[in-house]
Amino acid sequence: LDAEMPPRYLTAAAAVIPHPQKPSKVGEDANLIYHLPNGSSVIGVADGVGDWAKRGIDAGIFARQLMRETKKAALNAEVLDPSVLLHDVWAAMKQPQGGTVLQGSST
């Protein structure tokens, strides 16, 4: 960083408010705001794709697992490189969860 530039800070907050007409009480979306021990932060949003409900799949389960895997990958990363983090999270999401690969998607 340039010694003449003052430090910059980002304050983040999130809330998940499910649509009142959707059957899921938890919602189809998930978020992550995590401050790592080294002072870095990870912020993520997983907007679960609701069309999966037509196949009997709760998109929220996928979105929440995506954010859990993102936190784990960030904790294990030597360097927080977003492209590497995305690759690691995608690889983890393709692994069986409870005996099957988790179905769903997120934007």
Side-chain angles (χ1 to χ4, degrees):
L1 291 177
D2 187 341
E4 295 180 25
M5 293 183 67
R8 291 175 171 71
Y9 300 95
L10 173 68
T11 301
V16 176
I17 303 171
H19 192 285
Q21 296 176 348
K22 293 190 178 179
S24 174
K25 300 270 190 232
V26 181
E28 297 169 340
D29 307 328
N31 61 71
L32 169 68
I33 300 172
Y34 187 71
H35 303 289
L36 296 161
N38 68 2
S40 297
S41 297
V42 177
I43 299 172
V45 176
D47 182 358
V49 177
D51 254 14
W52 282 97
K54 294 175 184 174
R55 297 181 183 184
I57 296 168
D58 181 350
I61 294 171
F62 183 91
R64 289 185 292 279
Q65 185 64 27
L66 186 64
M67 292 295 95
R68 281 192 289 274
E69 293 296 343
T70 301
K71 179 180 176 180
K72 282 196 280 186
L75 282 168
N76 292 325
E78 291 181 26
V79 176
L80 279 181
D81 179 332
S83 62
V84 173
L85 197 61
L86 285 170
H87 178 270
D88 292 348
V89 171
W90 179 245
M93 291 297 289
K94 293 191 311 184
Q95 297 301 312
Q97 310 281 328
T100 60
V101 174
L102 194 58
Q103 292 184 322
S105 57
S106 172
T107 58

